[in-house]
C-alpha cells in the first residue's frame, strides 16, 4: 500500500473476501446461476418471486434495519 | 395476412424472470403459423406496448391484468395460436423455458432454494448476492443481503437513485462492496458474473461504470496475451453527482490491496466532472500504474501525474498490457493488428464496390460503450457523427426525428428497448434497424458489434446471419453493395466459440475485427477509399 493511501484496512473488510473468488447467492434470473454453475463457481439460486418476498413481514424487516 | 387471430391469457400472481419470458416468447414465435407472441408482466407500460402491437384484444384487456400477473398474447393462424397457448401454459407451469427432462430442478450441484436463509444454509460462506429482480423490489432484498454480510452485484435497472445511495452507504458502513444497480459485468479470480467474457487470469485489474467497455478492454487484454485479475463493475450512475463514485473508489481500494493486480484500468462513460476528479485524485495515490479511460469526456479533464489517459477502450487495453509487459505501446498494438490480419485487400474491394452516393456509415451497437467509442473514433475521420448518447464532439440524435448522415446508435438505450428485451439477449430488435439502414440508399457501411461470453446470446452471429444475408442479396439484386463491418467482443475461451462466430460473419462477407476502435477505422477507410 502506498503512503497516503486511504485503503488501510481494506484487507480486514468483508469485501476483501472477493479477491479469493466469489461464492454466490443468485437472486432472480436463473440464467446467471446456470452460467456460474457452468464455470463451477459455488452458487445457490434463490427462485425469487415478488409474492414470496412480500410474505416476509415488512415490520420485522424494518426492525432489523434499525437493530443492525 | 388474412385469417389471423389474436388470443391470450392472464396468469394471475405469476412471476417468471425476464430472461425466462424472453425464451418462452421466442419459442412460441418459432412455432409454425405464429406471426407474433409476447409474454410480459401486466404493468401499465407493458400493456401499452401490447396495445401498440395489436396484441391486446378486448377479452385480454377486460381481464384487467395487473403488475403481479403474466400476460400471454399470441397472433397467428387460429389453430397455431391455440397450440402456442397450450405450449405457453406448459412451459410457464413447468418453470422451464425448454424441455428439461434431462435436468433436475434442484440438486446438490445446482441447488435452488426459496429464501435467503435457506440459501445461506446451503452455502454458509457465500460472499456475494447477484440480484436480478424488478427494480422496485431491489432495496429490500439488497438490504437483507447486506445484513447477512453479502457483497452485492445488482444487475437490476429501474432502481431509484435514493435507493442506490442508501444501499451503497449501508454497504460502506459494513465494509461491503455494491456493484450496480444496472451493473452487467463483474469478475473475481476468473469467475465471470452476469455478462462477462472468459479471459486468462493475469495482472490487469479493471473497475468502471461501463459494462461492454469493461468487456472490450478485458478481451483485448486477453488477445494481447495478458490476463485479468478482477473486473469490478460499478453501475452506470456511480460516477454521477449523487452517488459520487462510492463503488469506483471502493473498487480502487480493493484492486490496490490485491497483490495479484499490477496495473489498474478505470473505464467509464461520461461522468460528472467532480466525481471524475475525485476518482483521478484517488488513482494518483495508488502505488500501481493506472490507465484511465473516460469515454467521450470533455478534454478539460484533469491531467498530469502518473495516470495514463486513454481516449478509447482499445488505447486503455494496449496501454495496460504495455505497462504490464514493459513493452512499447506500438509493439502491443501490432499484436492486435496481427490477430485481425491484413485486411487491406478486402477493404479496397469493399470501397470499390460502393456506389458514389453511398456516403454514410450506420453503426448499430448492442453495447453502449462500444457505440460511444465507435463514434469518437469515426468523428475525426468522417466529420459530423450523430448518436443517441452523450459524448463530446458527437451530435445528439433523437431517433424519432429520423436518421440522416453518419449515425451511431446504442440499441440498448431505452428509446429503443421500451420494454423489449435488450439486443444483447434478443437480436430481433437490431434486425429491424439493419433492414432500415440497408434501405437507406445513402448508407454504404453498416457497423455491428457481437458480444460473446457468459450471459450473452448463445449464437449472436448466427442469429444475425439471416438478416445480413437478406440485405446483401437485396442490394445485389438492385446492383448495389452494402459493406458490413463486424466487431466480435470475445475470446477463444468464450462459450459461443470465437472461431465459429468469425466463420459465420466472414461467410456472409463481413470484415471481421476484434477491436471495436479498429472496426470504426475500417468503416471510415471503406467510405473514404484507401489511404486512411
Amino acid at each position: 500500500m502506498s503512503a497516503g493511501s486511504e485503503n488501510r484496512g481494506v484487507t480486514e473488510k468483508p469485501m476483501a473476501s472477493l479477491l479469493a473468488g466469489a461464492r454466490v447467492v443468485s437472486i432472480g434470473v436463473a440464467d446467471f446461476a446456470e452460467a456460474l454453475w457452468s464455470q463451477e463457481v459455488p452458487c445457490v439460486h434463490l427462485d425469487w418471486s415478488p409474492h414470496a418476498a412480500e410474505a416476509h413481514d415488512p415490520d420485522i424487516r424494518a426492525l432489523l434495519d434499525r437493530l443492525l | 395476412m388474412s385469417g389471423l387471430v389474436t388470443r391470450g391469457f392472464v396468469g394471475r400472481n405469476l412471476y417468471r424472470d425476464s430472461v425466462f419470458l424472453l425464451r418462452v416468447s421466442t419459442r412460441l414465435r418459432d412455432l409454425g403459423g405464429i406471426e407474433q407472441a409476447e409474454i410480459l408482466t401486466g404493468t401499465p407500460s407493458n400493456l401499452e406496448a401490447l396495445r401498440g402491437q395489436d396484441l391486446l384484444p378486448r377479452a385480454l384487456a377486460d381481464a384487467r391484468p395487473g403488475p403481479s400477473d403474466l400476460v400471454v398474447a399470441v397472433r397467428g393462424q387460429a389453430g397455431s395460436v391455440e397450440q402456442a397457448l397450450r405450449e405457453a401454459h406448459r412451459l410457464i407451469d413447468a418453470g422451464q423455458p425448454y424441455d428439461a427432462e434431462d435436468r433436475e430442478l434442484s440438486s446438490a450441484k445446482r441447488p435452488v432454494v426459496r429464501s435467503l436463509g435457506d440459501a445461506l444454509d446451503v452455502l454458509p460462506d457465500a460472499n456475494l448476492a447477484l440480484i436480478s429482480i424488478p427494480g422496485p423490489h431491489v432495496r429490500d432484498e439488497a438490504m437483507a443481503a447486506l445484513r447477512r454480510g453479502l457483497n452485492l452485484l445488482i444487475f437490476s435497472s429501474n432502481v431509484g437513485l435514493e435507493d442506490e445511495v442508501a444501499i451503497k452507504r449501508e454497504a460502506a458502513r459494513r465494509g461491503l462492496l455494491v456493484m450496480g444497480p444496472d451493473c452487467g459485468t463483474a469478475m473475481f479470480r476468473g469467475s465471470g458474473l452476469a455478462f462477462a467474457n472468459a479471459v486468462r487470469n493475469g495482472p490487469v485489474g479493471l473497475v468502471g461504470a461501463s459494462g461492454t467497455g469493461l468487456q472490450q478492454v478485458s478481451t483485448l487484454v486477453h488477445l494481447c496475451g495478458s490476463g485479468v485479475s478482477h473486473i469490478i463493475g460499478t453501475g452506470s450512475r456511480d460516477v454521477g453527482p449523487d452517488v459520487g463514485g462510492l463503488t469506483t473508489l471502493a473498487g480502487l481500494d480493493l484492486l490496490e490491496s490485491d497483490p495479484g493486480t499490477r496495473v489498474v484500468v478505470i473505464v467509464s462513460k461520461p461522468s460528472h466532472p467532480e466525481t471524475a476528479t475525485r476518482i483521478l485524485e484517488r488513482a494518483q495515490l495508488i502505488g500501481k500504474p493506472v490507465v484511465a479511460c473516460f469515454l467521450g469526456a470533455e478534454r478539460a479533464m484533469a491531467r498530469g501525474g502518473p495516470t495514463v489517459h486513454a481516449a478509447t477502450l482499445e488505447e486503455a487495453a494496449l496501454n495496460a498490457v504495455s505497462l504490464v509487459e514493459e513493452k512499447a505501446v506500438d509493439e502491443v498494438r501490432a499484436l492486435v493488428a496481427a490477430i485481425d490480419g491484413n485486411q487491406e485487400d478486402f477493404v479496397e474491394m469493399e470501397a470499390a464496390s460502393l456506389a458514389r452516393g453511398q456516403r454514410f456509415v450506420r453503426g448499430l451497437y448492442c453495447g453502449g460503450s462500444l457505440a460511444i467509442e465507435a463514434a469518437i473514433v469515426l468523428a475525426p475521420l468522417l466529420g459530423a457523427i450523430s448518436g443517441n448518447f452523450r459524448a463530446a464532439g458527437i451530435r445528439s440524435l433523437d431517433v424519432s426525428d429520423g436518421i440522416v448522415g453518419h449515425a451511431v446508435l446504442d440499441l440498448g438505450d431505452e428509446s429503443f428497448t421500451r420494454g423489449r428485451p435488450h439486443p444483447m439477449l434478443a437480436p430481433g430488435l437490431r434486425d429491424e434497424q439493419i433492414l432500415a439502414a440497408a434501405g437507406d440508399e445513402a448508407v454504404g457501411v453498416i457497423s455491428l458489434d457481437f458480444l460473446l461470453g457468459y450471459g450473452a446470446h448463445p449464437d449472436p452471429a448466427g442469429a444475425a446471419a439471416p438478416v445480413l444475408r437478406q440485405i446483401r442479396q437485396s442490394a445485389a439484386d438492385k446492383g448495389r453493395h452494402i459493406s458490413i463491418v463486424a466487431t466480435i467482443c470475445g475470446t477463444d475461451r468464450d462459450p459461443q466459440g470465437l472461431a465459429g462466430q468469425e466463420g459465420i460473419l466472414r461467410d456472409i462477407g463481413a470484415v471481421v475485427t476484434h477491436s471495436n476502435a479498429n472496426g470504426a477505422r475500417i468503416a471510415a477507410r471503406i467510405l473514404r477509399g484507401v489511404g486512411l
Side-chain angles (χ1 to χ4, degrees):
Chain A
M1 288 188 287
S2 62
S5 165
E6 295 172 351
N7 79 345
R8 290 191 186 87
V10 164
T11 50
E12 286 87 46
K13 291 182 179 178
M15 71 170 77
S17 71
L18 291 170
L19 298 178
R23 302 175 66 82
V24 182
V25 177
S26 165
I27 305 174
V29 173
D31 277 32
F32 290 148
E34 295 279 353
L36 290 168
W37 288 326
S38 74
Q39 299 175 74
E40 299 186 352
V41 173
C43 173
V44 55
H45 182 60
L46 198 168
D47 186 15
W48 183 91
S49 77
H51 318 298
E54 285 157 5
H56 294 127
D57 189 330
D59 290 336
I60 291 181
R61 285 201 172 203
L63 177 62
L64 284 169
D65 279 338
R66 291 200 300 274
L67 287 175
L68 300 174
Chain B
M1 213 170 150
S2 63
L4 295 183
V5 300
T6 302
R7 299 209 178 104
F9 65 86
V10 176
R12 297 292 180 189
N13 292 318
L14 262 185
Y15 174 81
R16 296 287 184 267
D17 71 63
S18 57
V19 177
F20 174 92
L21 297 182
L22 168 63
R23 293 266 174 80
V24 175
S25 59
T26 300
R27 190 174 168 102
L28 299 184
R29 281 189 219 112
D30 288 343
L31 294 174
I34 299 299
E35 183 184 86
Q36 181 60 296
E38 292 286 356
I39 306 178
L40 301 170
T41 53
T43 61
S45 60
N46 283 345
L47 294 179
E48 198 52 45
L50 288 175
R51 202 169 279 117
Q53 297 180 70
D54 289 326
L55 280 173
L56 196 65
R58 169 166 283 189
L60 210 49
D62 286 349
R64 297 182 181 278
S68 300
D69 304 327
L70 278 185
V71 181
V72 180
V74 183
R75 178 168 62 242
Q77 300 293 328
S80 301
V81 166
E82 294 308 316
Q83 180 194 359
L85 293 177
R86 284 194 298 273
E87 180 73 349
H89 270 297
R90 186 181 73 81
L91 292 171
I92 290 170
D93 290 346
Q96 294 281 353
Y98 38 72
D99 293 320
E101 292 96 357
D102 61 342
R103 181 178 298 168
E104 300 168 37
L105 285 176
S106 180
S107 66
K109 285 190 176 179
R110 309 163 66 89
V112 180
V113 299
R114 298 303 299 270
S115 75
L116 185 56
D118 289 346
L120 293 172
D121 285 342
V122 171
L123 196 62
D125 57 349
N127 61 3
L128 182 129
L130 196 172
I131 299 176
S132 52
I133 61 177
H137 297 276
V138 165
R139 179 173 179 153
D140 279 352
E141 299 301 333
M143 290 300 195
L146 290 175
R147 285 196 295 272
R148 300 290 194 125
L150 298 175
N151 299 282
L152 303 180
L153 191 167
I154 304 174
F155 178 83
S156 309
S157 55
N158 296 317
V159 177
L161 180 59
E162 64 283 359
D163 288 345
E164 177 173 351
V165 173
I167 292 167
K168 287 187 172 179
R169 286 184 177 159
E170 179 63 16
R173 191 176 75 79
R174 294 173 179 270
L176 293 164
L177 184 72
V178 175
M179 296 174 284
D182 197 26
C183 175
T185 301
M187 172 180 290
F188 291 97
R189 284 186 72 87
S191 299
L193 301 163
F195 295 101
N197 296 92
V199 296
R200 190 180 297 109
N201 186 252
V204 179
L206 281 65
V207 60
S210 165
T212 50
L214 292 168
Q215 287 190 259
Q216 169 76 131
V217 174
S218 69
T219 56
L220 289 175
V221 166
H222 174 95
L223 291 173
C224 290
S226 187
V228 175
S229 57
H230 313 285
I231 299 173
I232 300 171
T234 66
S236 52
R237 286 187 307 220
D238 193 68
V239 292
D242 299 284
V243 185
L246 285 173
T247 299
T248 308
L249 294 170
L252 289 174
D253 288 348
L254 206 51
L255 292 176
E256 181 180 16
S257 73
D258 176 40
T261 298
R262 290 177 23 219
V263 171
V264 175
V265 179
I266 304 169
V267 180
S268 179
K269 289 189 238 186
S271 60
H272 187 254
E274 284 181 20
T275 303
T277 298
R278 191 176 307 133
I279 291 168
L280 289 173
E281 286 175 350
R282 175 67 186 93
Q284 307 279 40
L285 301 176
I286 290 178
K288 302 177 182 180
V290 176
V291 179
C293 174
F294 285 84
L295 273 178
E298 296 293 338
R299 296 181 64 83
M301 183 155 295
R303 297 291 170 116
T307 301
V308 175
H309 288 267
T312 66
L313 304 169
E314 181 188 71
E315 288 297 317
L318 295 181
N319 276 283
V321 175
S322 165
L323 289 164
V324 162
E325 304 287 330
E326 296 181 350
K327 291 178 181 173
V329 174
D330 284 344
E331 194 178 340
V332 181
R333 192 187 308 278
L335 288 173
V336 178
I339 291 164
D340 283 349
N342 187 333
Q343 309 207 55
E344 289 311 306
D345 290 347
F346 199 177
V347 171
E348 273 188 50
M349 186 177 69
E350 290 293 300
S353 300
L354 295 182
R356 183 182 292 273
Q358 290 181 275
R359 309 189 306 276
F360 300 128
V361 63
R362 187 73 52 85
L364 303 173
Y365 291 88
C366 299
S369 299
L370 300 180
I372 294 174
E373 183 185 47
I376 63 179
V377 169
L378 287 168
L381 301 175
L382 294 179
I385 304 287
S386 299
N388 63 327
F389 42 79
R390 186 169 56 92
I394 305 303
R395 194 178 292 170
S396 182
L397 170 68
D398 184 340
V399 295
S400 61
D401 293 336
I403 302 172
V404 177
H406 300 298
V408 176
L409 303 182
D410 168 13
L411 298 179
D413 183 75
E414 281 186 10
S415 61
F416 283 103
T417 56
R418 283 197 206 97
R420 297 176 69 180
H422 195 281
M424 277 178 69
L425 297 174
L429 188 152
R430 183 158 72 172
D431 286 358
E432 297 166 9
Q433 293 299 321
I434 290 171
L435 289 169
D440 183 343
E441 293 192 348
V443 170
V445 177
I446 297 176
S447 287
L448 306 165
D449 59 349
F450 292 86
L451 290 142
L452 309 188
Y454 299 110
H457 192 281
D459 183 12
V467 74
L468 294 179
R469 290 199 183 94
Q470 179 185 341
I471 63 168
R472 296 271 286 197
Q473 186 60 54
S474 293
D477 290 345
K478 296 173 188 167
R480 293 175 66 239
H481 180 76
I482 292 284
S483 191
I484 300 167
V485 178
T487 295
I488 302 179
C489 180
T491 76
D492 54 324
R493 298 184 180 187
D494 280 326
Q496 290 84 355
L498 179 62
Q501 296 289 295
E502 291 169 347
I504 291 170
L505 292 167
R506 291 197 173 110
D507 188 56
I508 293 168
V511 181
V512 177
T513 176
H514 301 82
S515 161
N516 183 57
N518 195 35
R521 290 191 295 270
I522 288 172
R525 288 215 303 276
I526 291 172
L527 286 172
R528 290 179 56 172
V530 179
L532 186 71

